[in-house]
Amino acid sequence: MGTKRVYSICAMCTGRCPIVVDVNGNEVEHIWGNPYLLGGYHLCPRGAAGKALLNDTERPQTPLIRDGERGSGKWRSVSWDEALDYVADNLKNIIDKYGAKSVVLSDRGGAITEFEKTFLAAIGSPNYFNHHATCSNSIHNAHLSVAGLARNGITYDYKNCKYLVSFGRNLLESLVTGEAKSVIDMIENGGKLVQIDVRWNYTAAKADRFFLINPGTDYALALALIHVIIKDSLYDADFVKRWTVGFEELSNFVKLYTPEFAENETGIPAAEIVKLAHDVGNAKPSVIFHLGWMTAWYSNDFYLRRAICSLNALLGAYEAKGGLIINKGPEAVGKPLKSLLAQVPKPKDPRFDGCGTKYPHLSEQWGLAQELAHVLLTDEPYPVRAYIVFRHDPLASLPDPDYIRDAFSKLDLLVSIDINYSETGWFSDVILPEDTYLERTDHVIARNGPKPGYILRQAAVQRRFDTRPRWWIFKELANRLGVGQYFPYNSIEELIAWQLEGTGYKLEDFNEKGYIELVDKPIMWDRVDGLKFKTPSGKIEFISKKLEDVGIPSFIPYEKPIELKPGRFRLVTSKCALHTQGRTTLNNRLLNEYVSENHLYIHEDRAVELGIKEGDLLEVENEGEKQYIKAKLTKYIHPDVLFMLHGFGDDVPLRTRSFGKGVSDVRLQKGLVKVAIGGNCPFTECTVSVKKVK
Amino acid sequence: MGKYYIFQDQKRCIGCYACELHCKTKNNAPEGAKLCRIVPTGPQVVKGVPRMHFVFMPCFHCEKPWCVYACPTGAMIKRAKDGIVYVKEDLCVGCKNCITACPWGVPQWNSETGKVMKCDYCKDRIDQGLEPACVTGCTTGALKFISPSEASQIKREQFAKNISPLKK
């Protein structure tokens, strides 16, 4: 073991697992999971590979200003003063000319977003958004409409769960350490796992039942399950009566959606659907219908997610042991953290992306990343001229990067703040390199859950290169723009002390376990009187007043997915345990050694039809975009589906390990920079053709 | 018989490679060198569901290790007190005889030092009362560091748990 142990939070993906770092001198010896929170030193392979990120010279090492055409890769290494002055001067000019609202900022989202949100609000722009349009906007907005809770407003009580049903959430492969371990614990305790997917994966391999569903028909299955649960009175009648509105309307709506109907659509036998409904009914309320994680699927995903939320509510799974526990924050025990953002007046301008105006039902919290390109190209509702992209890579994660890159050309200023050379960074005017998570301390964050508390990311070692922490970068920019008063601290320690004022805790209290727990026992609200759903009615809303008031129906009829043209396939993507977040881990020396490129999975029978053999080089095409990738044959994928891992096809030459390897799924997703009803990009509506390269 | 054994609980293993990564970082293994390996086998259909098995392959620390016999310099050593087979680096001349001799492909070439490295159950950790990095870091706790006799006991317990009519 090292000479020093530092408790912190991982940032290899956005799972933010609690870690403990063994440090010897200024070197990281090893990174483990925090045993106090994870029940052992468990940590996934990405977390273990964090050490390789720290000393990697293939990340930006000094501030850089573009010295050639955008995207040419010609950079001038500059001092922090010069880089920050450059950004601030340009921002000032743009704000003078077009107003503060013409500045937009996006990040990866998550719990550590205080600095950038505060900065943006301080200069007077309402335009914060993040990556969720390409991830989980539809579940977020659906859960808000049904339960008034954010996507992450609940904690899954896997350990006590008796029946876990997942519509495509690949819990054991796109994994978060604590979650994967809990699901395995659940299976060992006798809990049942049901995986519904268009392809078999390692989660399906551990499932008691696996249903290979026809692509795009999940909504039909969810409606049929509701149908059986209501018809056979399998629901939790007390919970439904006390905590829901619109049960009668829901019952009427699902009358059409019989198991036989769903069998026809989904390919899952009606008897299996009935059995599943009865099994979850018998296990209630210790049931979890997982809400989903990466839910940028189809245009109707919002309604699939509403149906999944409704299934949980029908079975009384909210705030039940083994179900979905509503998160409590430190404010629930009267110990809220002080917030920088709360000190800033809220900007008054309407948002650039139409959240709350053009899209009145969509949450402003996460915004609509996919609207940026349209706004840039049309100047509607107003011109956007500056974009600060912070630990987010829209050109690698939004569909159709060529279209978006064209739109970005209209920007007067594009600034990338990141630890990596991202695809977007490569196209920027300025790159401001951030310290890695092993080199920086962030602000304290609230640990919301059954046992609220605080947790802290702490620097384990000193920085390797001329990089800076986020708290410093945004403070310096704010100073230069004359709004430094909203960053009233000179060091991160000072800020942490200020945040913790009135709580009775101080920085040193994190030394022992890396986190502070504010209660001894989980807080469980009373299921008769105490539940707090933040909807207008304070209940689960099968019929949502908020939606209906703006002319959006609470239910929509099931529609068949758009029919495939002959020779076309549906392109489906996902992650693996070694590269959950695509570009952030791809060039990592240790992880790249394991998985350096992606492959195209195709059903054996379809491969035979097309004369494709294992390992053949294939041409995948959509609307003129052609990509080349090696074939993998499998029996366990829907014949209409082609599958590849997301995030490959790196275009940044300085990332020598991942450069040019594999295929970028998003480049094939032509024409999908759309706003679906749930605010998601309908990624999975991409169809492609494939042929063997002669 | 050696004193230690790594038991892999197939029910818990999800094939995530955390064991290999924890091993690599702990031992500073260069690119290409894998001191332990997860070998996926399958999928095979069991009761209608395709199942996957992941075979964990550390060094088995053989009773009579061929790598030790093959080593001309005495760099490959079977530790008397607990049977751990390890490389004494300063004696290794990089002849690779051990690599050829091992039927399991365990000894690995360290391109950075020009010597051989291999799984030694993280003996430095063991000597501090800790477990090998692969076991400690395993994402789901699928690996257990035990004595060989405990392995059959674990298997019997698991079997009993699965068939017991009294289980909850």
Side-chain angles (χ1 to χ4, degrees), chain A residues 57-71:
Chain A
T57 53
E58 297 192 355
R59 59 181 173 100
Q61 299 170 37
T62 66
L64 298 165
I65 295 179
R66 178 165 65 85
D67 202 20
E69 289 294 300
R70 269 198 180 133

Side-chain angles (χ1 to χ4, degrees), chain A residues 101 103-110 113 116-117 120 125-134 137 351-353 355 363-373 375-376 384 386-392 394 398 408 411 414:
Chain A
K101 63 180 186 289
V103 180
V104 303
L105 181 149
S106 75
D107 64 21
R108 189 69 185 61
T113 54
E116 58 271 31
K117 282 181 181 163
L120 197 65
S125 171
N127 292 323
Y128 166 83
F129 62 103
N130 60 32
H131 88 293
H132 282 284
T134 51
N137 258 8
R351 291 178 59 88
F352 81 106
D353 58 9
C355 282
S363 159
E364 297 178 13
Q365 199 182 337
W366 293 355
L368 291 169
Q370 67 273 52
E371 281 293 74
L372 179 58
V375 172
L376 284 172
V384 165
Y387 179 24
I388 301 169
V389 55
F390 173 50
R391 60 179 284 271
H392 178 203
L398 278 163
F408 283 1
L411 285 163
L414 176 56

